Amino acid sequence: MTLGNVEKEFTAAKYQQDELHIEQTALSKIADAVGTPAYVYSKSYLTDQYNLLSEALSSTPHQIHYSVKANSNLAILALFKSLGAGFDIVSAGELSRVLAVGGDPKSVIFSGVGKSVEEINFALKAGIGCFNVESRGELLRIMAQAELLGCVANVAIRVNPNVDAKTHPYIATGLKENKFGVTKEEAFALYLLAADNPAINLTGIDCHIGSQINEPEPLLQALTSILELRDALEKEGISLQHIDLGGGFGVRYQDETPLDINDWGASVGQILGGRDLQLRIEPGRFLTANAGVLLTRVEYLKIADEPDHKNFAVVDAAMNDLLRPSLYQAWHGVLPVDKSSNAQPLEWDIVGPICESGDFLAKQRSLALAEKDLVAVLSIGAYGSVLASNYNTRGRAPEVLVDGAEFKVVRRRETIQDQLRLELKLELDQAGH
Ligand code: LLP
């Protein structure tokens, strides 16, 4: 069935009679309790996605490292930890989050092109499982810091296999024009350089070619490519224990046919062909995107007064709450929370209160809307709350985790005091001194 241009089955949001629910909780009940806008996530959907991925790889020794950047709420990290996940991080801040939920530092992989000395030291002292090294300079820096601290750093080199992930250019990372990783040739040289260094323990090879990948071929090509390097290193006497394929597994937003994760898992098993290697992956979006909705309320309806003008539904969520449409022209489904409305269906641009024409959540959606109606913007569990900002001095929206007929506020709404307390109000005279 389609409604507001979107089929409902792929998302955690489902109608019971005319009321949109997450699990057994009506979204209207959450809006009454916490107000709008609010991010709402389904615990069972998150759990099911994790289990789906793990089962797809059941014939291959593997470890899932949840990519914290997709949704770093502590409750979500705690949930994935309880399911057996390790973590993929890109900053000291994300490592602090993992440690805050009692995550095992050894289960942590540290990716990213710009690790500072402070971040490297913090991660070394915490005893993280692996650094995914993205440049010669970073390798030398980690060597030096590990020597200084008298410890050994576990390292994988991130290879840029020059594979086209066929995704949005802002989220493609595996082409030679991208800033990530090093070429295979450079990686080979770096492995030789680090092989005899007592401060470095070479444990694996890493790659990550992009995000929202819906075709298996680029992922499999990348795997084959880094396996060649692994085999070449083996001949040099450098023996590695893991292959890290990164994340990037696509999901459905609109009418995409997402990657068939079971087929992909089976192909990966075949390519690895009984090698004594652990497979690591760093999924973010696949686990969280469709577990969440952004709940928002219509403030005003601006109906076109001329035939070639647009109709605008101004809602109380904005680009500071969900940046993806403005930044990537991303398409997110929009559903009315109560679909029994007798309002006349019209084509709406769903826009926020921010003073930018780029502030829109969805365009040209046919919906029956009235002022004060609640609507749910779908597929926002990944790269939704984490990309939020305080633009226009808007407080960040709360996050709610639903578990059956119950729900918990897992991040409270940010108040104006939360924002102002970080700043200094200068006391100045009339001359500005
Ligand atoms: N590992 C590395 C090294 C990454 O850079 C990323 C994502 C992931 C894993 C997780 O990728 P995923 O499984 O979620 O596709 N803000 C963009 C997505 C940026 C992705 C950045 N890196 C968006 O909203 O589409």
Side-chain angles (χ1 to χ4, degrees):
M1 126 169 225
T2 61
L3 209 121
N5 296 341
V6 68
E7 284 186 25
K8 62 186 170 74
E9 283 74 15
F10 68 93
T11 139
K14 296 197 168 38
Y15 285 104
Q16 291 178 21
Q17 275 87 42
D18 286 337
E19 275 268 306
L20 199 59
H21 284 63
I22 295 267
E23 302 188 24
Q24 281 73 56
T25 303
L27 286 170
S28 57
K29 193 172 146 196
I30 294 176
D32 288 346
V34 306
T36 53
Y39 306 97
V40 186
Y41 312 123
S42 159
K43 185 177 173 207
S44 71
Y45 195 99
L46 293 163
T47 307
D48 290 349
Q49 287 299 100
Y50 183 89
N51 291 335
L52 204 70
L53 197 49
S54 188
E55 275 156 32
L57 289 170
S58 55
S59 57
T60 305
H62 71 275
Q63 176 64 46
I64 296 175
H65 295 264
Y66 170 59
S67 192
V68 173
K69 66 171 81 66
N71 188 324
S72 56
N73 186 284
L74 296 180
I76 288 185
L77 301 187
L79 174 62
F80 286 132
K81 176 187 156 230
S82 78
L83 296 173
F87 298 95
D88 162 54
I89 60 156
V90 288
S91 70
E94 288 188 350
L95 177 53
S96 301
R97 286 181 174 274
V98 171
L99 299 177
V101 298
D104 180 359
K106 288 194 204 61
S107 76
V108 172
I109 290 172
F110 194 171
S111 306
V113 292
K115 301 175 190 82
S116 68
V117 169
E118 292 73 24
E119 287 180 312
I120 290 168
N121 287 346
F122 180 42
L124 284 170
K125 286 182 193 156
I128 66 157
C130 190
F131 288 88
N132 283 342
V133 169
E134 307 229 11
S135 63
R136 179 175 287 254
E138 182 190 332
L139 180 64
L140 297 176
R141 188 181 275 189
I142 292 174
M143 261 179 200
Q145 294 312 123
E147 267 165 28
L148 270 176
L149 293 175
C151 59
V152 176
N154 295 325
V155 161
I157 308 284
R158 176 165 174 183
V159 176
N160 183 334
N162 196 23
V163 167
D164 185 358
K166 302 197 173 76
T167 185
H168 190 285
Y170 286 10
I171 54 176
T173 49
L175 286 170
K176 59 177 189 286
E177 71 236 39
N178 301 129
K179 68 180 174 184
F180 301 97
V182 297
T183 61
K184 260 160 89 172
E185 295 70 31
E186 171 75 345
F188 189 76
L190 294 184
Y191 279 105
L192 294 184
L193 173 76
D196 298 324
N197 190 298
I200 299 287
N201 179 27
L202 293 168
T203 63
I205 305 188
D206 170 51
C207 76
H208 168 83
I209 59 168
S211 197
Q212 183 57 7
I213 300 171
N214 276 324
E215 293 175 29
E217 289 79 18
L219 290 164
L220 298 175
Q221 248 176 290
L223 172 59
T224 309
S225 172
I226 60 172
L227 271 180
E228 284 166 14
L229 177 59
R230 183 262 181 187
D231 293 345
L233 290 167
E234 188 89 12
K235 291 200 187 101
E236 298 291 323
I238 299 173
S239 181
L240 302 174
Q241 296 95 56
H242 81 261
I243 293 273
D244 181 347
L245 268 188
F249 315 105
V251 300
R252 181 156 168 212
Y253 286 92
Q254 187 173 10
D255 50 10
E256 307 89 335
T257 308
L259 187 74
D260 184 322
I261 212 72
N262 287 316
D263 284 358
W264 168 80
S267 307
V268 165
Q270 272 170 9
I271 294 173
L272 285 173
R275 283 182 177 82
D276 186 19
L277 273 176
Q278 184 199 43
L279 176 74
R280 295 184 181 175
I281 52 171
E282 305 166 359
R285 190 189 313 267
F286 182 87
L287 298 179
T288 59
N290 279 313
V293 303
L294 175 61
L295 187 56
T296 178
R297 198 180 282 281
V298 177
E299 293 281 4
Y300 301 99
L301 294 177
K302 293 179 71 175
I303 297 185
D305 48 10
E306 290 188 35
D308 59 340
H309 285 189
K310 282 171 166 262
N311 301 311
F312 292 103
V314 184
V315 297
D316 61 8
M319 66 191 284
N320 76 300
D321 305 297
L322 181 65
L323 188 58
R324 302 193 73 254
S326 310
L327 189 59
Y328 314 110
Q329 297 79 45
W331 196 98
H332 286 261
V334 178
L335 294 177
V337 167
D338 176 357
K339 67 170 176 174
S340 69
S341 166
N342 9 347
Q344 168 85 6
L346 283 179
E347 194 175 276
W348 299 101
D349 278 11
I350 319 277
V351 301
I354 284 183
C355 302
E356 299 249 2
S357 295
D359 177 25
F360 61 89
L361 301 177
K363 287 191 168 173
Q364 294 177 301
R365 302 304 166 83
S366 181
L367 291 162
L369 291 179
E371 282 181 8
K372 303 285 168 235
D373 277 0
L374 289 168
V375 295
V377 183
L378 306 182
S379 317
I380 60 76
Y383 308 110
S385 56
V386 286
L387 283 170
S389 77
N390 291 122
Y391 191 33
N392 282 199
T393 307
R394 290 168 52 86
R396 282 169 216 238
E399 295 176 272
V400 173
L401 185 66
V402 175
D403 184 6
E406 317 218 310
F407 65 88
K408 283 196 172 77
V409 177
V410 292
R411 181 183 160 105
R412 70 161 167 81
R413 189 179 300 282
E414 200 173 23
T415 63
I416 188 61
Q417 288 74 26
D418 291 331
Q419 290 190 63
L420 299 190
R421 80 193 149 86
L422 300 177
E423 298 175 29
L424 175 68
K425 199 176 90 192
L426 291 181
E427 301 293 344
L428 298 174
D429 63 21
Q430 284 181 334
H433 299 299

